[in-house]
Amino acid sequence: MALLKSAGMKKVNFAGGEPFLNAEFLGKLAQYCKVVLKLESVSVVTNGSRVTRRWLDKYGAYLDIMAVSCDSFDEETNVKIGRGTGNHLKTVMELSQMCKEHGIKLKINTVVNRYNFHEDMNRAIERIDPFRWKVFQVLIVEEENGSEHTLRDARRFRITDEEWQLFCDRHQHQECFVPEGNDVMASSYLLLDEYLRFLNKGVAEPTESILKIGVKKALEGVYWDEKGFNQRGGVYDWSKDGCAEGSAEQNLDW
C-alpha cells in the first residue's frame, strides 16, 4: 500500500471474491489506508452477507464507499444467477440502512446478463437511493470465464450489445446511473491480484509483483485504457467529505 501511495495512488478499492471473509484484516487495511497513508478514498465491494454492525462500529469511520453487488430485485432471478439462496434483497436493504447510519456512501453494482437484462429496476433503485449505481455489461474473458476449461464458465450469461442498450435506455434517467459496456470496461481499471501483480485482462500475462520490481516498473508492463477510464467516469466524488472531485484528475498520470 505504501509503495502505491508513493507512486501517486489516491483511491483504493478492495474486492474479491468476498473481502469480508477476512473482515478483521480488511478493517485494519482500511484504517491504515485512511489514517497512515491518508488516501482520499477507501472503498470495498461486497455481497453484504458478512457485513456486521459491529464491524461498521469499529471500522466504518475508515471507509468512504461500500459497494454492494445486487444483480436483480427478484429473488428467483438472484438464485438463478447464483447470488444467494433467496434472502439477498433483505441483506441489501439492511446494508443500505447501516451505511446511512455510519455515514458511508452506498454504491450498487449490477452486472447485466442473460437473466436480468429485461428487468425494470427503477422503483427499487429509487427506494434504496444509492449515490452511485454502477451497471456493467457481463464481460467474458476467455482465460478466466470463457470456456469449459476455466474455473468458471460464464458464457450462458452473455448478452448482445442490443440487449445491453435496452437495459441502459430503461434506466438512464436515474441520476446515479453509471453504465459500463464491454468497450470501456476491460482495460480501464488498474487491478492488483493477491500477489500484488497488475493484471492485463484479455491482453497479456500479469506483471511481476510490485514487491519485486516496484510500482513504476510494473506499470510499464500493464495496458491501461485512460480514454476508457475517463469515459466511464473514473474520477468522481469519492470521499465522504467530497474533497476528491477535481483534485485527483490532475495527477492521475498512471
Side-chain angles (χ1 to χ4, degrees):
M1 291 293 112
L3 290 173
L4 293 164
K5 166 68 175 181
S6 297
M9 179 176 70
K10 297 180 179 293
K11 177 185 185 298
V12 65
N13 181 48
F14 296 108
E18 174 50 55
F20 278 90
L21 286 173
N22 197 335
E24 189 66 18
F25 181 58
L26 174 65
K28 291 184 182 300
L29 277 176
Q31 184 178 25
Y32 175 76
C33 287
K34 290 300 286 188
V35 175
V36 179
L37 298 184
K38 300 187 184 303
L39 295 186
E40 291 179 4
S41 182
V42 176
S43 60
V44 61
V45 180
T46 176
N47 64 24
S49 62
R50 292 176 175 263
V51 184
T52 64
R53 193 175 299 276
R54 180 179 179 182
W55 190 94
L56 289 171
D57 288 342
K58 186 175 182 180
Y59 294 114
Y62 312 116
L63 199 63
D64 294 278
I65 300 168
M66 179 85 75
V68 60
S69 303
C70 186
D71 295 331
S72 176
F73 293 94
D74 178 273
E75 286 291 21
E76 290 186 7
T77 302
N78 278 322
V79 172
K80 288 180 182 177
I81 292 171
R83 185 76 69 188
T85 57
N87 61 353
H88 186 60
L89 296 181
K90 180 175 180 290
T91 298
V92 171
M93 297 306 295
E94 290 175 349
L95 185 56
S96 171
Q97 182 59 38
M98 287 193 290
C99 284
K100 289 178 182 177
E101 293 172 2
H102 289 81
I104 299 169
K105 292 185 171 186
L106 178 70
K107 181 168 72 167
I108 299 293
N109 285 352
T110 299
V111 178
V112 181
N113 61 77
R114 174 58 46 198
Y115 297 99
N116 67 359
F117 79 91
H118 59 278
E119 189 173 335
D120 186 338
M121 301 185 183
N122 283 297
R123 291 183 65 182
I125 288 296
E126 289 164 4
R127 184 168 67 251
I128 296 174
D129 191 28
F131 95 103
R132 194 167 168 88
W133 180 26
K134 289 291 289 295
V135 178
F136 306 92
Q137 181 182 5
V138 64
L139 179 66
I140 307 300
V141 180
E142 185 174 353
E143 66 271 20
E144 291 185 11
N145 63 2
S147 80
E148 60 186 18
H149 304 295
T150 53
L151 183 62
R152 298 178 183 85
D153 187 352
R155 289 177 296 175
R156 67 187 176 95
F157 294 99
R158 184 186 278 121
I159 57 174
T160 66
D161 290 342
E162 290 74 21
E163 289 166 336
W164 160 249
Q165 192 59 51
L166 283 173
F167 186 92
C168 291
D169 291 345
R170 193 180 305 124
H171 299 95
Q172 63 183 355
H173 64 281
Q174 298 289 344
E175 290 186 10
C176 60
F177 182 69
V178 182
E180 288 190 26
N182 289 169
D183 56 332
V184 299
M185 188 192 316
S187 299
S188 65
Y189 290 85
L190 285 172
L191 302 174
L192 286 163
D193 66 9
E194 64 270 31
Y195 305 108
L196 296 180
R197 304 176 303 177
F198 283 106
L199 301 181
N200 278 300
K201 281 189 171 292
V203 177
E205 293 297 314
T207 67
E208 291 190 76
S209 172
I210 64 172
L211 297 177
K212 181 178 180 180
I213 63 173
V215 177
K216 183 177 180 180
K217 183 67 175 178
L219 285 171
E220 292 175 0
V222 67
Y223 173 69
W224 181 58
D225 181 6
E226 184 174 2
K227 181 179 179 181
F229 173 83
N230 291 321
Q231 186 177 339
R232 67 174 175 81
V235 178
Y236 58 94
D237 183 13
W238 56 37
S239 301
K240 286 179 180 177
D241 58 11
C243 69
E245 189 168 29
S247 67
E249 191 167 9
Q250 299 173 359
N251 296 311
L252 283 169
D253 55 1
W254 287 0

